């Protein structure tokens, strides 16, 4: 189970950040067009993201063999807060919070929403991370880096019943964002490279490991308030514990009003090594003000 869980953080930490946009579509752009993950906030502006990821699996791939297994489900709810602090709009600071509810032993996927702590379930606030987002090259506004230091607030990855919650190793994370809008603004290519260094707890499965996780997203804008997208992601862990998987997905975003937008995503893990093979259902709200 430890080996299968790391994918959730990747998907939770990747999906909560992605916001597709267009650069030159209409005279007045919506937030989903303007504020991509690459775009920094103006000084005094706030960005609040509340994202929920439900990952469930009934198959696993280990030692080159894919087989069925009892269902395991991992629910992750994240809250990301950022604000602009620099006069030149090249630096944002923020805080990331993660809450988890996990169930094992064949329980239904919706059992994660019971938020219990028993022989099959575990839940709680698992980590927080101070973060900053910055634009390293002044004249390339669509390239930025988000750096965060994830600090676990739990003492044991698994409880006495073997129910896993989260890793207890610290994580230094850097995410590189770049987007490119195609000519008329109806299409946009977004790319990300997520990097992690995990350390600080010899009892953690993630200790002394490095993660490289690229992703490519293609978005289409049927209107300035609507986005349809498809994506492919790969995740590779190196070090004391190795693991990799590839996921394909699709989804969309809708601008509800001048402040709020809604995001819905689905992804399928199509291959992997030393990992579970499941699917992920995601829904989130983002407020910009």
């Amino acid at each position: 189970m430890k080996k299968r869980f790391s994918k959730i953080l990747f998907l939770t930490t990747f999906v909560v950040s992605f916001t597709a946009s267009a650069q030159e579509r209409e005279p007045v752009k919506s937030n989903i067009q303007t504020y991509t993950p690459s775009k920094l906030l103006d000084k005094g502006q706030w960005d609040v993201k509340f994202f929920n990821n439900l990952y469930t699996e009934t198959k696993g791939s280990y030692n080159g063999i894919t087989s069925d297994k009892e269902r395991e489900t991992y629910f992750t709810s994240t809250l990301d807060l950022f604000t602009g602090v620099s006069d030149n709009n090249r630096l944002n600071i923020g805080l990331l919070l993660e809450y988890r509810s996990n169930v094992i032993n064949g329980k239904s996927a919706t059992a994660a929403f019971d938020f219990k702590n028993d022989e099959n379930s575990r839940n709680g606030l698992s980590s927080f991370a101070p973060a900053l987002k910055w634009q390293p090259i002044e004249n390339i506004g669509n390239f930025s880096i988000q750096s965060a230091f994830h600090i676990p607030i739990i003492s044991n990855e698994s409880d006495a019943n073997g129910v896993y919650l989260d890793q207890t190793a610290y994580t230094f994370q850097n995410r590189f964002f770049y987007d490119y809008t195609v000519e008329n603004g109806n299409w946009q290519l977004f790319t990300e490279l997520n990097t992690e260094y995990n350390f600080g707890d010899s009892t953690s499965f993630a200790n002394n490991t490095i993660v490289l996780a690229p992703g490519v997203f293609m978005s289409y804008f049927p209107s300035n308030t609507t986005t349809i997208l498809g994506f492919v992601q790969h995740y590779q862990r190196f070090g004391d514990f190795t693991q990799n998987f590839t996921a394909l997905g699709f989804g969309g975003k809708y601008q509800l009003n001048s402040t709020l937008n809604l995001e819905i995503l689905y992804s399928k893990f199509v291959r992997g090594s030393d990992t579970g093979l499941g699917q992920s259902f995601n829904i989130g709200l983002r407020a910009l003000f």
Side-chain angles (χ1 to χ4, degrees):
M1 178 170 52
K2 296 177 182 178
K3 299 177 181 178
R4 295 186 286 273
F5 175 76
S6 58
K7 71 183 73 174
I8 303 168
L9 179 58
F10 167 63
L11 266 204
T12 301
T13 50
F14 196 102
V15 167
V16 75
S17 304
F18 180 75
T19 309
S21 73
Q23 301 292 326
E24 295 291 341
R25 175 163 171 80
E26 296 184 11
V28 178
K29 296 180 181 179
S30 66
N31 287 338
I32 63 172
Q33 292 177 300
T34 303
Y35 289 98
T36 71
S38 307
K39 173 71 173 178
L40 269 68
L41 303 171
D42 296 336
K43 185 176 182 179
Q45 192 176 18
W46 284 87
D47 182 358
V48 180
K49 300 175 186 176
F50 178 60
F51 205 87
N52 301 283
N53 168 276
L54 182 72
Y55 170 80
T56 186
E57 64 182 29
T58 56
K59 292 182 181 295
S61 179
Y62 301 94
N63 300 317
I65 299 173
T66 299
S67 59
D68 294 333
K69 58 182 290 296
E70 286 194 303
R71 182 180 298 277
E72 297 180 6
T73 301
Y74 303 89
F75 174 72
T76 304
S77 186
T78 62
L79 180 65
D80 295 2
L81 307 170
F82 277 94
T83 186
V85 295
S86 63
D87 291 329
N88 61 7
N89 302 328
R90 293 179 59 192
L91 178 64
N92 297 167
I93 60 172
L95 178 68
L96 317 178
L97 302 172
E98 294 184 352
Y99 186 94
R100 302 179 185 276
S101 178
N102 304 334
V103 295
I104 62 171
N105 292 332
K107 295 294 183 179
S108 69
T110 56
F113 300 124
D114 293 336
F115 300 104
K116 291 182 178 180
N117 288 302
D118 57 28
E119 65 273 14
N120 298 308
S121 310
R122 191 178 175 195
N123 81 99
L125 186 68
S126 62
S127 69
F128 72 95
L132 60 86
K133 193 172 183 179
W134 49 292
Q135 179 187 329
I137 305 174
E138 184 175 4
N139 61 348
I140 305 180
N142 54 346
F143 172 64
S144 64
I145 303 172
Q146 180 176 306
S147 301
F149 182 56
H150 294 264
I151 302 171
I153 55 177
I154 58 173
S155 56
N156 297 302
E157 292 184 340
S158 298
D159 64 12
N161 298 309
V163 185
Y164 181 86
L165 186 64
D166 197 0
Q167 71 179 57
T168 52
Y170 295 94
T171 301
F172 178 57
Q173 180 185 50
N174 288 284
R175 304 176 68 190
F176 301 83
F177 303 120
Y178 179 78
D179 64 73
Y180 175 76
T181 300
V182 180
E183 296 182 359
N184 62 6
N186 289 341
W187 294 88
Q188 184 193 63
L189 178 68
F190 171 79
T191 60
E192 178 194 27
L193 176 61
N194 178 40
T195 68
E196 297 177 7
Y197 173 55
N198 301 279
F199 65 99
D201 184 359
S202 60
T203 65
S204 172
F205 84 96
N207 196 56
N208 293 329
T209 64
I210 294 173
V211 171
L212 295 178
V216 178
F217 291 69
M218 179 59 76
S219 300
Y220 173 68
F221 295 87
S223 74
N224 69 328
T225 59
T226 306
T227 306
I228 301 170
L229 61 98
F231 58 90
V232 57
Q233 301 165 309
H234 182 73
Y235 183 98
Q236 191 85 36
R237 184 185 294 273
F238 306 90
D240 289 355
F241 168 59
T242 61
Q243 176 189 47
N244 71 84
F245 64 86
T246 304
L248 303 176
F250 63 91
K253 294 177 65 70
Y254 181 70
Q255 187 76 35
L256 299 172
N257 55 43
S258 60
T259 300
L260 289 173
N261 61 263
L262 173 71
E263 181 174 8
I264 298 175
L265 296 172
Y266 169 81
S267 63
K268 175 72 173 179
F269 293 80
V270 295
R271 58 152 309 279
S273 176
D274 288 323
T275 183
L277 297 175
Q279 53 191 330
S280 177
F281 304 88
N282 314 273
I283 185 169
L285 282 173
R286 185 187 190 192
L288 284 154
F289 54 91

